[in-house]
Amino acid sequence: QFPYQPFGDLLLEFPGHKNAGRYRRQLDLDSGVTTVSYRVGDVTFRREVFASVPDQVIVVRIAADKPGQVSFTAKLDSPHPNGSTTAVGSDQLALRGRLARFEYKRIKQVFESVLGFEARLLVSADGGKTKVTDEGVDIEGADAATLVLAAATSYKSFQDVSGDPAARCDEVIRVAADKPYGRLREAHVADHRRLFRRVDLDLGSTEASRLPTDERIPGFAEGNDPQLAVLYFQFGRYLLMASSRPGSQPANLQGIWNEDLQPAWESKWTVNINTEMNYWPAEVGNLAECHGPLFDMLDDVVISGRKTAQVHYGCRGWVLHHNTDLWRGTAPINHSNHGIWPTGGAWLCRHLWEHYLFSGDEEFLARRAYPVIKEAALFFVDFLVEDPETGWLISGPSNSPEQGGLVMGPTMDHQIIRDLFASAIEASETLGVDEDFRRQLVELRKRIAPNQIGRHGQLQEWLEDKDDPNNHHRHLSHLYGLYPSDQIALGTTAELAAAARKSLDFRGDGPVGWGRAWQVCLYARLGDGQLAYDRLARLIGDNSNLNLFNQCWASRPMPFQIDANFGGAAGIAEMLVGSHAGEIALLPAWPQEAWPTGHVQGLRARGGLEVDLAWRNGRATSAVLKAGLDGPCRVRPPKGHRISAVRCGGEALPATVEQDGTAILEFQAGKVYELEFDEAFAKSPRVSRHALPD
Ligand code: FUC
């Protein structure tokens, strides 16, 4: 498989600015604009940069607070050896080339490259002199200048590289050239806010939030900076918006932000946890359209994965192993202890199903989700074999990702296949199709090896009871059943949930960033706010392990790997709202001491709901549920609370409140439900260690 590589660099040089002072660099999450400002002598310079989805360009604006002060050179450069720059007319610079043969040193292979590329930089200055030559752009004595960058390759799809990058750049630049900077910025900010402002989270803020981000990170674990958790959450949403929009590739191991020709793990899509984790915040974080590129990639791997299913296994359907790339590789890869793992595609099918669970969109289910899910299920109909000892159907040869060697019957495979079959069964029923196939899946599903509890009281990772309680491996594969799946849940399978907890506790606090992020989600599902918060604190601010770089990029600890940014964001959401195993849980894993007062608006829950919550001094004060679909659902209040009244359209609803304080509500699409709580069950109020201002 081929690495994801950087395109090139835009290099700006400002003569005389070496001794700048009052330097400040910021990213405003609410507008999606990054700003650099500094002073040279008595002039303040300000640079704004944003990447615009509506105009498909990167825009740089350079300005000064005194006239005629903007002078700089701009060059385009590429790490690909076959690139060169040429002036295009009086206001554009082009960087053109073809990818060279690529020597992949680590695995000693040479790839022939097939892609051509072109980038175009459009320059416009207010006043001063502008000169564009083949070497670059020279601006002298302007009041301000705008640079607009477009870039394209000849890639159209994994089967078609006949694209014309020059024509694509022309078209994009022509449209952008007609718009002054202000209009480009407005269009970008409007597009950005349309998505970003859907969720508002406030966990309170303290003096610490006035400090620069790099100074806040190491102190997070000590407490007293709840706003940094909000920043982590919203930065995660921002990163997903910035790396995965309709029409783009999905976010890879580094999102899109890789600067190396030979990046770590080729900056691909590793699908035994990393790619899935990237998309955990998509639905709950109210960014469902950002999930789209993953579904587009699934359509491709169905095509390449059919061949792999045939050639490697003589099976029908499609299969995707450990990872994939731009060319949609699906075959076994690397080494047998991780590369021969046939359930990567099946896990990704869960994302199609989740999109349906959150939205209830039957059109999507019929057209996009079910066909992919069905064919993935077909593969396992052929692939599963009967275990001669137990008679159960098992998966193999396979592995529990990245440890334990090539085995038969790892637990994670069975959990994933059980979910896959369940979604195929339910979808075919909802859509009223494929009755015979459904019946076959129902029968096979019953025979798949079950989740087993082993001699240490643990959830067995393997078919045999051979787990080592001292195994601190980074992967938490068999806990897939607890999160992201709800096959194991406190309310429905209490004994398995207790066993899963044991396995999770055995693993320790997790040696890598994404592992900690997963643990936040897992402890949240177990209703343990304290440990969920502990893992979040270690993820954000554990100086010993450095899971976060200065600017909030997640670190594995090395190198930068984006999954933990997304997994941590999903974990924070999961602590605030749960929607699985047949109920909506409000503040299910609430660290009351760390976050005594706050509110959240706009989180989405399965079943077409949008959730707003507020709490104060350790007590939930209100919950508002906006229903997008009809149907009943149990609502679970925060621990120690009891639902006391439900109002809809100003009128009290007769809701039956059960012994445990939960209530079943009959939702109607388009209606808004307001919940009140009483504190009959409330323990003595818990007040934060750190006094928070109102
Ligand atoms: C998985 C992990 C590694 C790394 C790689 C990109 O295979 O086991 O730790 O994150 O993906």
Side-chain angles (χ1 to χ4, degrees):
Q1 293 181 6
F2 203 82
Y4 168 76
Q5 298 179 316
F7 194 116
D9 295 303
L10 166 62
L11 303 166
L12 304 178
E13 246 188 79
F14 300 89
H17 288 205
K18 281 227 163 71
N19 296 323
R22 295 207 214 160
Y23 185 90
R24 185 184 165 98
R25 187 169 67 124
Q26 68 167 39
L27 166 64
D28 176 15
L29 291 179
D30 184 51
S31 62
V33 176
T34 128
T35 309
V36 169
S37 61
Y38 57 85
R39 246 174 116 76
V40 179
D42 59 353
V43 185
T44 300
F45 291 88
R46 188 179 160 86
R47 195 151 79 224
E48 288 192 333
V49 185
F50 57 87
S52 166
V53 174
D55 285 297
Q56 291 292 301
V57 287
I58 293 175
V59 183
V60 185
R61 172 79 172 172
I62 298 154
D65 67 351
K66 298 218 161 57
Q69 293 295 323
V70 171
S71 300
F72 66 95
T73 61
K75 288 191 162 70
L76 289 174
D77 193 11
S78 171
H80 301 280
N82 296 344
S84 61
T85 57
T86 332
V88 178
S90 59
D91 62 355
Q92 287 183 40
L93 181 68
L95 167 72
R96 297 188 178 123
R98 292 199 66 77
L99 292 196
R101 275 179 116 220
F102 176 70
E103 270 190 56
Y104 195 163
K105 296 202 178 87
R106 188 159 67 85
I107 54 171
K108 296 190 185 65
Q109 270 195 35
V110 175
F111 291 88
E112 292 301 332
S113 301
V114 291
L115 292 179
F117 62 85
E118 175 153 346
R120 203 73 72 72
L121 186 71
L122 171 76
V123 198
S124 66
D126 305 346
K129 274 192 238 145
T130 302
K131 198 166 83 189
V132 182
T133 66
D134 289 351
E135 266 69 65
V137 177
D138 239 315
I139 303 243
E140 240 194 272
D143 298 338
T146 303
L147 305 175
V148 176
L149 182 74
T153 72
S154 53
Y155 185 88
K156 279 182 150 173
S157 78
F158 76 108
Q159 295 165 314
D160 180 357
V161 292
S162 68
D164 180 349
R168 176 82 186 119
C169 286
D170 266 341
E171 187 191 319
V172 168
I173 289 288
R174 192 167 35 78
V175 176
D178 279 344
K179 302 181 188 171
Y181 177 70
R183 263 181 69 202
L184 289 169
R185 193 184 194 281
E186 253 168 51
H188 160 71
V189 172
D191 168 77
H192 180 85
R193 288 195 173 144
R194 187 171 55 80
L195 278 67
F196 188 76
R197 287 194 169 174
R198 287 178 192 159
V199 181
D200 178 32
L201 175 62
D202 181 1
L203 299 172
S205 51
T206 57
E207 282 296 308
S209 57
R210 292 173 199 262
L211 295 171
T213 312
D214 56 335
E215 289 176 30
R216 296 169 70 184
I217 289 170
F220 182 77
E222 286 152 31
N224 207 19
D225 192 3
Q227 202 279 330
L228 190 55
V230 176
L231 189 66
Y232 197 93
F233 171 78
Q234 292 289 28
F235 187 52
R237 291 184 66 243
Y238 164 86
L239 291 173
L240 192 62
M241 287 172 52
S243 61
S244 183
R245 288 286 193 106
S248 78
Q249 292 294 316
N252 65 37
L253 284 173
Q254 301 190 27
I256 50 175
W257 296 277
N258 160 51
E259 60 176 2
D260 300 320
L261 279 183
Q262 303 218 4
W265 291 288
E266 296 82 51
S267 195
K268 288 184 301 206
W269 292 282
T270 306
V271 298
N272 67 8
I273 173 64
N274 319 89
T275 305
E276 288 86 354
M277 183 174 281
N278 284 1
Y279 287 90
W280 286 352
E283 301 290 335
V284 67
N286 216 331
L287 296 172
E289 61 271 72
C290 296
H291 222 160
L294 185 68
F295 306 150
D296 295 342
M297 183 168 83
L298 272 171
D299 288 342
D300 291 350
V301 291
V302 168
I303 298 169
S304 51
R306 272 183 200 135
K307 233 190 245 175
T308 303
Q310 261 299 319
V311 170
H312 284 268
Y313 303 105
C315 290
R316 296 169 296 169
W318 68 277
V319 62
L320 162 61
H321 291 81
H322 175 70
N323 44 29
T324 190
D325 66 348
L326 189 64
W327 309 103
R328 307 317 190 213
T330 52
I333 194 165
N334 305 353
H335 302 284
S336 66
N337 84 332
H338 63 270
I340 305 182
W341 178 71
T343 37
W347 188 353
L348 288 173
C349 284
R350 184 171 180 90
H351 287 254
L352 294 162
W353 185 242
E354 289 280 0
H355 183 75
Y356 168 69
L357 290 181
F358 274 89
S359 64
D361 183 349
E362 284 189 20
E363 170 85 7
F364 172 83
L365 185 66
R367 282 168 178 264
R368 300 293 308 272
Y370 181 62
V372 176
I373 290 174
K374 177 184 166 183
E375 257 197 82
L378 194 60
F379 172 80
F380 289 101
V381 168
D382 291 353
F383 181 79
L384 290 170
V385 292
E386 192 174 285
D387 175 31
E389 266 181 38
T390 59
W392 291 328
L393 289 179
I394 58 170
S395 163
S398 180
N399 42 79
S400 199
E402 313 206 13
Q403 56 157 341
L406 197 61
V407 298
M408 294 301 290
T411 299
M412 181 192 222
D413 275 14
H414 301 149
Q415 293 176 342
I416 290 176
I417 299 163
R418 234 189 325 271
D419 274 358
L420 177 72
F421 282 12
S423 57
I425 292 163
E426 210 180 314
S428 74
E429 215 161 64
T430 305
L431 299 171
V433 295
D434 298 328
E435 205 183 317
D436 291 345
F437 184 54
R438 174 161 75 241
R439 242 183 259 130
Q440 186 186 15
L441 291 183
V442 169
E443 287 315 308
L444 291 176
R445 189 172 183 274
K446 284 186 212 152
R447 295 174 52 205
I448 296 173
N451 286 309
Q452 302 179 74
I453 299 175
R455 65 203 154 116
H456 306 290
Q458 88 285 13
L459 180 70
Q460 282 182 209
E461 184 161 359
W462 322 94
L463 195 57
E464 306 80 18
D465 187 2
K466 61 180 185 188
D467 299 66
D468 173 2
N470 296 314
N471 176 3
H472 297 144
H473 197 269
R474 60 189 179 281
H475 281 265
L476 306 160
S477 305
H478 52 319
L479 301 178
Y480 160 94
L482 179 65
Y483 185 100
S485 171
D486 65 351
Q487 208 169 108
I488 298 173
L490 282 178
T492 48
T493 58
E495 278 176 27
L496 285 173
R501 161 133 210 165
K502 205 144 239 172
S503 294
L504 180 57
D505 290 344
F506 285 158
R507 278 295 213 266
D509 66 16
V512 295
W514 57 256
R516 287 188 173 162
W518 196 349
Q519 291 201 356
V520 177
C521 301
L522 289 163
Y523 279 115
R525 280 279 166 99
L526 290 167
D528 191 328
Q530 282 313 315
L531 274 182
Y533 182 78
D534 173 79
R535 297 309 192 254
L536 182 70
R538 288 167 197 269
L539 177 65
I540 296 179
D542 182 353
N543 222 356
S544 64
N545 210 1
L546 272 181
N547 284 141
L548 205 58
F549 291 118
N550 281 346
Q551 74 285 56
C552 262
W553 290 114
S555 151
R556 185 191 166 271
M558 283 301 277
F560 156 56
Q561 198 171 287
I562 206 163
D563 38 24
N565 281 112
F566 294 131
I572 291 168
E574 198 65 36
M575 290 163 78
L576 302 173
V577 177
S579 63
H580 61 278
E583 61 179 46
I584 308 291
L586 308 176
L587 298 172
W590 177 14
Q592 278 157 309
E593 278 194 32
W595 301 342
T597 299
H599 72 253
V600 65
Q601 279 168 2
L603 288 180
R604 287 174 74 239
R606 291 170 190 82
L609 291 162
E610 221 175 272
V611 184
D612 299 348
L613 292 171
W615 59 95
R616 179 166 208 81
N617 295 333
R619 296 278 171 84
T621 50
S622 76
V624 177
L625 305 177
K626 294 170 200 148
L629 299 168
D630 293 337
C633 188
R634 181 182 296 279
V635 181
R636 181 173 297 279
K639 275 174 217 152
H641 292 63
R642 183 174 196 281
I643 293 172
S644 56
V646 182
R647 248 183 282 284
C648 181
E651 299 203 355
L653 282 190
T656 317
V657 178
E658 320 241 332
Q659 279 278 307
D660 59 0
T662 64
I664 294 182
L665 300 189
E666 194 61 55
F667 289 112
Q668 281 178 30
K671 298 216 161 152
V672 177
Y673 299 79
E674 288 165 49
L675 273 55
E676 278 175 21
F677 308 108
D678 70 29
E679 294 148 12
F681 292 5
K683 298 176 207 122
S684 57
R686 305 178 73 167
V687 180
S688 166
R689 287 177 284 158
H690 319 289
L692 288 174
D694 276 359

